[in-house]
Amino acid sequence: AQTVTQSQPEMSVQEAETVTLSCTYDTSESDYYLFWYKQPPSRQMILVIRQEAYKQQNATENRFSVNFQKAAKSFSLKISDSQLGDAAMYFCAYRSFGGAQKLVFGQGTRLTINP
Amino acid sequence: DTAVSQTPKYLVTQMGNDKSIKCEQNLGHDTMYWYKQDSKKFLKIMFSYNNKELIINETVPNRFSPKSPDKAHLNLHINSLELGDSAVYFCASSLQSYGYTFGSGTRLTVV
């Protein structure tokens, strides 16, 4: 079974600076998808970024980018120019390419932005 | 025009009661899910339906019963509620390989 580990329960960063959230996963599959979700205090789950394992190029979405290291099974999220609105829980998630399409989540990292 | 809508958003009930949470999506997605987020914020899948067919049924007490009348709806009925059932329940939907779209969650409190 696949597992996802986020080893940083909490992180903080100064506004306008850059922060990196870590995620590692365990799988025997070669094709899969990885995601980062944001959950602000409103509790809405918001998709931040998505990466297909077969793509070598790291995904980017505006200020958000990932460092995907397939061999190391690592999928970190970099947030540049942090803004107060980035404060939230961030969840890393894994999804198999085929078969049952469940998302397997990490434990989450609570990100605080200091003004 | 909410994509995935859950009702109610909050539910407070006494132990032993039976309650239902409803979910509807208007995205045309073919798969719907129920996830449970516990007090430590951990999210775990409970059930998944694809075109009204149950495809994932994780280790969940049989007091929990999902029902999918059509592919746009997935409801969750819980019998004989217990204190440990208190959590936030998320409905979600997906289409093939793209990411999920989540509802806003239902906070269930059992007293």
Side-chain angles (χ1 to χ4, degrees), chain B residues 65-81:
Chain B
S65 53
K67 291 281 192 304
S68 181
D70 55 60
K71 74 173 190 177
H73 295 83
L74 179 61
N75 304 321
L76 183 65
H77 188 75
I78 316 170
N79 290 326
S80 304
L81 277 155

Side-chain angles (χ1 to χ4, degrees), chain A residues 33 35 37 39 43-45 50 89 91 95 100-103 105-106 110, chain B residues 9 31 33 35 37 41 43 45 58 90 96-100 102 104-105:
Chain A
Y33 301 93
F35 304 87
Y37 279 87
Q39 187 179 38
R43 82 169 179 244
Q44 181 70 48
M45 294 289 290
R50 167 182 180 258
M89 284 288 289
F91 293 94
R95 172 182 168 153
Q101 299 167 337
K102 66 180 181 181
L103 279 174
F105 285 93
R110 183 177 299 281
Chain B
K9 291 192 179 347
T31 307
Y33 312 80
Y35 276 81
Q37 186 173 40
K41 302 291 189 183
L43 281 147
I45 191 163
E58 295 286 300
F90 283 97
Q96 297 178 0
S97 64
Y98 208 72
Y100 287 29
F102 283 83
S104 56

Side-chain angles (χ1 to χ4, degrees), chain A residues 47-64:
Chain A
L47 177 64
V48 175
I49 202 162
R50 167 182 180 258
Q51 174 82 42
E52 293 92 338
Y54 61 84
K55 289 187 178 178
Q56 291 189 338
Q57 187 172 7
N58 289 325
T60 63
E61 286 288 341
N62 301 314
R63 298 182 294 107
F64 298 86

Side-chain angles (χ1 to χ4, degrees), chain B residues 52-64:
Chain B
K52 301 194 297 176
E53 181 182 348
L54 181 65
I55 57 170
I56 296 174
N57 184 350
E58 295 286 300
T59 308
V60 176
N62 56 17
R63 298 181 294 102
F64 290 78

Side-chain angles (χ1 to χ4, degrees), chain A residues 18-104:
Chain A
T18 296
V19 64
T20 298
L21 308 184
S22 301
C23 173
T24 58
Y25 57 94
D26 188 28
T27 184
S28 58
E29 299 173 337
S30 57
D31 288 328
Y32 46 87
Y33 301 93
L34 295 165
F35 304 87
W36 279 97
Y37 279 87
K38 170 184 176 181
Q39 187 179 38
S42 66
R43 82 169 179 244
Q44 181 70 48
M45 294 289 290
I46 301 165
L47 177 64
V48 175
I49 202 162
R50 167 182 180 258
Q51 174 82 42
E52 293 92 338
Y54 61 84
K55 289 187 178 178
Q56 291 189 338
Q57 187 172 7
N58 289 325
T60 63
E61 286 288 341
N62 301 314
R63 298 182 294 107
F64 298 86
S65 61
V66 298
N67 183 2
F68 172 49
Q69 302 288 329
K70 191 172 183 180
K73 297 179 183 173
S74 169
F75 183 61
S76 60
L77 175 70
K78 185 171 86 170
I79 307 174
S80 303
D81 185 25
S82 298
Q83 299 175 1
L84 294 178
D86 296 333
M89 284 288 289
Y90 285 82
F91 293 94
C92 179
Y94 174 104
R95 172 182 168 153
S96 296
F97 183 77
Q101 299 167 337
K102 66 180 181 181
L103 279 174
V104 177

